Amino acid sequence: MRFLIMGCGRVGSGLARSLTDEGHDVTIIDVRQDAFRRLTAQFRGNAIIGDGLDSAALQRAGIENADVFVSVTQGDNRNLMAAQVAKHIFKVPRVIARVYDDSRADVFRELGLQTLSSPRFVTGLMREMIFDESDITPGDE
Amino acid sequence: MRNLRRQTGSGSWVESFASLFGGKGGLPTAQTVLVPLVGSSLDESALKVAGEVARESSGRVHVLYIIEVPRAVPLDAPMDEQVRNGERILKDIEDHWPHKKTSVATELLQARQAGPAIVTEAVERGADLVIMGIDHERRYGDYSLGSSTAHVLQHVPSALWILRAPINQNGAR
Amino acid sequence: MYVIVAGGGKVGFGLSQALLANGDEVLCIEKDAHRCAVIAEDLGSASYQGDCCEVSVLEDTGTGRADVFVAVTGDDADNLIACQVAKARFRVPRTVARINDPRNREIFSILGVDATVNSTDVIMSQIAQEMPSQPLTQVLSLRGTGRELCQVEVTADSPLLGEEVNLLRLPGDSEIILIVCADQSVRTPENGLQLEAGQVVLALTREEQEPALREALTGVAPE
């Protein structure tokens, strides 16, 4: 499968590494070259400097052939805009946007966009750790 | 000062207050005194002081009741319950106004925010004194002046007296 | 009319002032507290501090009863998302977004924003109005009919020169109604009348047909 990841932060770089390790074709795009320091020297995917909101940059990153597009920059609105461009303009089959603001995530989920709202997700996990008496220990992810 | 403290809570503290200015007749003069009711425990005290000041200077008192209208509805939206409540309070003030020669006028207003509305009214009425009674409020674990009071403090061109309730009197707020 | 202006920068502030002067109900939402305090000096309670992309802010500001939502921040993504939230969640009938990158126009349109404005276009249209190369000008807009009266001068290098007026191919129901000759005499477009340099042709058209008419009468293709 061909993946295009926008945003080389902790999540983006982690996702990119694990997917390449599994043998997938991964391209990661970020506006700042500095962000790519999170990728190891062994990273076998493509890292491209460019703005994911710029269609030309997305094309350079091979969005037309991507099977999956994931936007995980720090900006909710950037993630949502890029994901919609990937879905509606470039017709990428599977598109996921990470969004910090729960209520904003809901609006776009209702519009048919797959969103992952991280505070809600973390809150859920936190509650599980608090109330679940199984052997989850602090520090587990 | 000692005199004022001793009489706090009793009906004659207005006179004590006046004595700070040298006794009866020593109050500063004001032809038009505006009292915005803010729903505090000192609304009534503010009215009393305003009445005394206006009486001393043969002036008049304007009492303002402001309904803050949420932006979800138009500014002129029918706010029946609040209007009824406000009208009842204002009518009560008019009916029980103690001063024969000092006139009192009341007004009920709908505004987005009380602070700017108070300032606008003070200017339009030509008020030379605004008197507000406020409580000691806490917010987020810290003292809060409240946005309306802060706005009036910063912007009202007339003189402004703020009466503040003792801290422990409404400490539970 | 209730207009929400998202973004209190130079554009949003100026727009809010103009709308207020026009007698509209306006609320200008600005995220930055300092900037908001500055515009509040002038806009008073027509300003509001908050993030225009947050659902709770749009709820507080009564977006549900807004007639128009205009997003004019300096960030295209913010403008897009604010308009989409206003439209999807609060059913605002008309959303308008400022775009800073002209290439985003089509994307915004596909994603449901009703209208976009970008400074490049505005400046271009200003320049175009000053340019003699596009001599078709609107003389009169016929109120309520959607029709307008345009005029074009037949110049020495005009594609109209020597053409028979009733054989011209015009878009839709656009029609030539009058020809003003160089000697100020006036002629109706009768059969056989050939156009000469110095004449002014008056045509009745519809707003949406204007670009096609412009091309037909001046030979200049729309952008």
Side-chain angles (χ1 to χ4, degrees), chain A residues 53-56 76-78 80-81 84-85 88-89 101 103-104 106-108 110-111, chain C residues 51 53-56 76-78 80-81 84-85 88-89 103-104 106-108 110-111:
Chain A
L53 296 185
D54 174 2
S55 293
D76 279 6
N77 296 341
R78 291 175 58 79
L80 287 166
M81 178 171 169
Q84 292 182 89
V85 167
H88 297 290
I89 311 279
D101 177 3
S103 60
R104 205 174 315 180
D106 289 342
V107 172
F108 286 88
E110 284 160 22
L111 288 176
Chain C
D51 181 344
C53 297
E54 268 182 28
V55 174
S56 63
D76 282 8
D78 291 353
L80 171 70
I81 301 307
Q84 287 187 297
V85 173
R89 179 55 63 90
R103 292 173 299 181
N104 281 334
E106 195 192 345
I107 291 169
F108 277 44
I110 290 170
L111 297 180

Side-chain angles (χ1 to χ4, degrees), chain C residues 154-167:
Chain C
V154 183
T155 54
D157 58 352
S158 165
L160 298 177
L161 197 65
E163 293 290 326
E164 192 173 322
V165 66
N166 279 349
L167 296 180

Side-chain angles (χ1 to χ4, degrees), chain C residues 133-184:
Chain C
S133 65
Q134 294 182 312
L136 181 91
T137 49
Q138 189 189 321
V139 180
L140 184 69
S141 172
L142 302 170
R143 198 182 291 259
T145 63
R147 297 179 131 207
E148 57 188 39
L149 195 61
C150 296
Q151 69 170 30
V152 61
E153 192 182 341
V154 183
T155 54
D157 58 352
S158 165
L160 298 177
L161 197 65
E163 293 290 326
E164 192 173 322
V165 66
N166 279 349
L167 296 180
L168 290 172
R169 294 172 62 90
L170 304 179
D173 55 0
S174 297
E175 54 180 334
I176 289 171
I177 57 167
L178 215 60
I179 294 108
V180 181
C181 302
D183 62 359
Q184 305 298 314

